[in-house]
Amino acid sequence: MKAHMGKIFLKNIVIEGVESDVLIDGNIIAGIFPAGIRGSEEFSVEDLNVVDCCSKTAVPGFVNMHTHAGMSMMRGIGEDIVFHEWLSRIWDIESKIDEEWVYHATRVACLEMIKTGTTTFNDHYWYMPMAHKAAMELGIRPVLAYVICDRNDPQESERQKKQCLEMYEEACTWKDRSIFTIAIHAIYSVREEMILWGTRFARERGLKIHIHLSETAKEVEDCKAQHDGMSPVEYLDSLGVLGPDVIAAHTLWLSENDIRILGERGVTCVHNVNSNLKLSSGYRFLYNELRDAGANICLGTDGCASSNNLDMLETMKTAAMIQKAWRNDPSAMPLNEIMDMATVNAGKAFGLNIGKIEEGALADILIVDTDNYNFLSPGSFEANLVYSAHSDCIDSVICDGKFIMRNRVVPGEKEILAQAKTMLYKIL
Ligand SMILES: [Zn+2]
């Protein structure tokens, strides 16, 4: 971890209903005290940044566990059309974009994520070094993949093996908060030999594996036809791919046996509710069953081409409401669990001390302004945050011990948007 010299003292901030003072030292939450017990003058350092947080509440930064940040400028390009038409439009645009596009699009994505309270994002896109550069500039915590997607072309497999190694070597030189992973796009877009190669490559180096899994009913049908009646989960398990180091996006179409396997292997399953709804992939995410089987469950937005935004609060609200509706059970996906899915469960997936506000945790903190009508009720803070408020209640964001948004201002916002605009019209 990169060392910071600065210290931040958050005065009079509410944490789990208690007015507190928080000391952040470098990138760590160094102390949490009842408000007023210890004055900031006690910490006699020249660079102590004292911030009065009266009428504000702290929550852990959200973690978007599955997204494609480089698609941030593809909003609305495929509305009201079926999945295969949508996908061919995406591939058409992706054939025109280059690394400069991805750099600017990722800057826009990071800007949106910061404004909506995401401090860590698990990315799955091309031109990873550009995404790294963008995330470092904006101050967010990125998890960046090398994406294996050979589309059943053995020559492409060989090219990607070489490139994967190069990207890994580059990632080894990072001296910052970034995490490198191996993404295997999906079972239908990667040859079996490459699925095995990517898995081995990741395991030998202690890297997480990020994959799209059981997203559509068609994926399951096709897999069964090709692999002796095995579902995508059973197929990957037969290859030895599934384990606690696997982050599987979607896991929407599952049998009882699939759920048992995902639970026993301790896989992290990422629910991308808005993308699933928009593309008509399905809505019956088997949350209770996966949770009870032992899977680790998180939330993601997916890319902007399908979810149209990267707003985790919107994702949390929709995910909970859909569960309640289709199960006909208002107690489904309760508030404490929806908060955990957006925060601490992601920390578990990465083995990172994030997603909680406690001494020793990494300082990734949202400062929520509760001085408005959304919070003017005796209801719980979490209820008002998830069901009543919008992400504009997030006043300030600290990531890795540094303010990356203050009073809703992200440094360089205008320039980020202006530069991205020129890219947009150059290519589309
Ligand atoms: Zn995706």
Side-chain angles (χ1 to χ4, degrees), residues 170-277:
E170 178 167 339
C172 287
T173 67
W174 293 343
K175 299 279 182 285
D176 53 45
R177 60 192 173 274
S178 313
I179 296 173
F180 180 68
T181 66
I182 298 298
I184 297 169
H185 180 266
I187 58 162
Y188 54 83
S189 50
V190 184
R191 295 162 61 236
E192 184 172 296
E193 188 251 339
M194 271 308 267
I195 295 176
L196 291 167
W197 185 87
T199 304
R200 221 172 25 247
F201 188 93
R203 295 239 159 96
E204 282 169 4
R205 293 161 181 80
L207 308 170
K208 306 294 177 207
I209 299 163
H210 186 179
I211 188 165
H212 292 100
L213 181 59
S214 291
E215 179 175 359
T216 60
K218 185 176 183 306
E219 178 184 335
V220 177
E221 280 163 31
D222 292 351
C223 181
K224 284 183 173 172
Q226 277 170 35
H227 300 290
D228 301 323
M230 283 191 284
S231 69
V233 171
E234 288 164 342
Y235 170 60
L236 281 184
D237 199 45
S238 76
L239 299 179
V241 174
L242 299 180
D245 51 357
V246 173
I247 297 161
H250 301 295
T251 55
L252 190 59
W253 292 89
L254 303 175
S255 67
E256 270 181 40
N257 193 45
D258 292 339
I259 291 165
R260 181 190 60 79
I261 292 169
L262 291 168
E264 280 179 11
R265 303 286 179 261
V267 170
T268 290
C269 298
V270 186
H271 184 25
N272 297 275
V273 61
N274 284 321
S275 168
N276 296 156
L277 290 172

